[in-house]
């Protein structure tokens, strides 16, 4: 399909193949990622090459090219689109180094009226990752609205923990591949209505899995399933409360700061 033949309706993107890529990485990349999402020097199996276990959420940096590709093709206005939610299903441990071949496609495209939600699905032998991208101005094409958000868990949480972000965390995380200026440049942050640079949503989601694993008596490298909806921005240095309902084999969770929810509808499982 040539540029002049690109779909003109959001719904016509459904099923569009976005390409196949082989992404190479090494132990240094995996360790840098672990540090960027909150691992400490004492977490030797996450930061020391002789004991290294790769965090499953590292897959999301390897696959970031896919939603970027959809935006570059003109499916939506990249200046106003928002990352609505993220899902990760782990099929096999990510090797400490090597290459992973990934294939990407547009999954469902939901019609929310004034906006569309594009699902970008990336598949490999090691994981399946699904981005949900909220695109204002792209709805109204007569498609299905899609599923509703899951209801909030009832009752008091089974465990409560704390997510502590670092003041320099966004500057470090962007070295893993997301170089958007709103995470480092105060002027860029002001242009989107924020008083200072904000933390990457995928950093917040991945960073949550470290205290969450500890709360559930699991290891973060044993993550098998992860899902979360991005409810609000997080600033580097924020401290958040993590609440969980369930056990390591399957738990609902949310994350809140003093300003309110930042991750909602969360679900995680550890083997």
């Amino acid at each position: 399909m040539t540029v002049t033949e690109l779909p003109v309706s959001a719904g016509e993107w459904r099923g569009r193949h976005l390409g196949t890529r082989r992404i190479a990485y090494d132990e240094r990349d995996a360790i840098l990622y672990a540090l960027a999402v909150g691992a400490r020097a004492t977490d030797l199996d996450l930061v020391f090459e002789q004991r290294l276990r790769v965090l499953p959420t590292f897959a999301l940096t390897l696959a970031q090219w896919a939603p970027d590709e959809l935006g570059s093709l003109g499916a939506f206005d990249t200046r106003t689109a928002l990352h609505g939610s993220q899902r990760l299903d782990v099929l096999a441990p990510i090797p400490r180094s090597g290459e992973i071949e990934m294939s990407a496609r547009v999954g469902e495209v939901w019609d929310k009226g004034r906006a569309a939600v594009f699902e970008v699905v990336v598949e490999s032998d090691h994981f399946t990752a699904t981005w949900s991208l909220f695109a204002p101005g792209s709805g109204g094409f007569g498609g299905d609205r899609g599923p509703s958000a899951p209801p909030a868990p009832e009752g008091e949480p089974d465990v409560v923990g704390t997510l502590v972000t670092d003041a320099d965390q966004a500057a470090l995380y962007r070295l893993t591949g997301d170089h958007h200026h709103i995470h480092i440049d105060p002027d860029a942050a002001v242009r989107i209505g924020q008083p200072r640079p904000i933390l990457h949503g995928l950093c917040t989601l991945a960073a949550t899995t470290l205290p969450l694993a500890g709360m559930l008596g699991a290891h973060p490298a044993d993550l098998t399933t992860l899902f979360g909806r991005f409810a609000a921005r997080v600033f580097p240095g924020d401290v958040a409360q993590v609440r969980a309902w369930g056990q390591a084999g399957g738990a609902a969770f949310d994350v809140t700061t003093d300003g309110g929810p930042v991750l909602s509808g969360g679900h995680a499982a550890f083997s």
Side-chain angles (χ1 to χ4, degrees), residues 79 174 179-198 235:
R79 298 169 299 178
R174 69 188 300 270
H179 300 129
H180 200 294
H181 292 184
I182 62 174
H183 304 298
I184 191 69
D185 181 3
D187 291 337
V190 168
R191 285 195 291 271
I192 63 166
Q194 300 299 332
R196 57 191 176 95
I198 62 176
F235 292 112

Side-chain angles (χ1 to χ4, degrees), residues 4-5 19 21 25 46 71 73 80-81 83 87-88 107 123 125 142 165 172-173 184 207 225 238 245 263:
T4 57
E5 296 173 324
R21 295 193 188 181
Y25 63 94
L46 298 179
L73 289 173
T80 58
H83 192 170
R87 182 177 180 88
L88 175 66
E123 297 170 308
D125 291 338
T165 68
L172 181 59
Y173 185 85
I184 191 69
T225 301
D238 279 354
W245 294 258
L263 286 176

Side-chain angles (χ1 to χ4, degrees), residues 38-75:
R40 301 301 178 187
T42 51
D43 299 322
L44 293 183
D45 52 356
L46 298 179
V47 302
F48 182 32
E49 59 274 9
Q50 292 189 7
R51 305 185 187 181
L52 185 61
R53 300 184 66 192
V54 179
L55 287 171
T57 50
F58 180 54
L60 301 177
T61 68
L62 300 177
Q64 181 63 47
W65 61 270
D68 292 346
E69 177 69 13
L70 181 60
S72 69
L73 289 173

Side-chain angles (χ1 to χ4, degrees), residues 98-117:
E99 293 185 345
I100 293 183
E101 182 173 298
M102 292 165 272
S103 178
R105 58 182 171 83
V106 180
E108 293 294 336
V109 181
W110 305 114
D111 188 348
K112 300 297 185 180
R114 295 184 178 180
V117 174

Side-chain angles (χ1 to χ4, degrees), residues 200-237:
H200 307 68
L202 285 181
C203 182
T204 301
L205 181 62
T208 298
T209 67
L210 275 67
L212 182 61
M215 292 159 54
L216 298 174
H219 191 286
D222 289 329
L223 181 75
T224 58
T225 301
L226 178 65
F227 175 81
R229 295 180 182 274
F230 302 107
R233 84 290 178 274
V234 174
F235 292 112

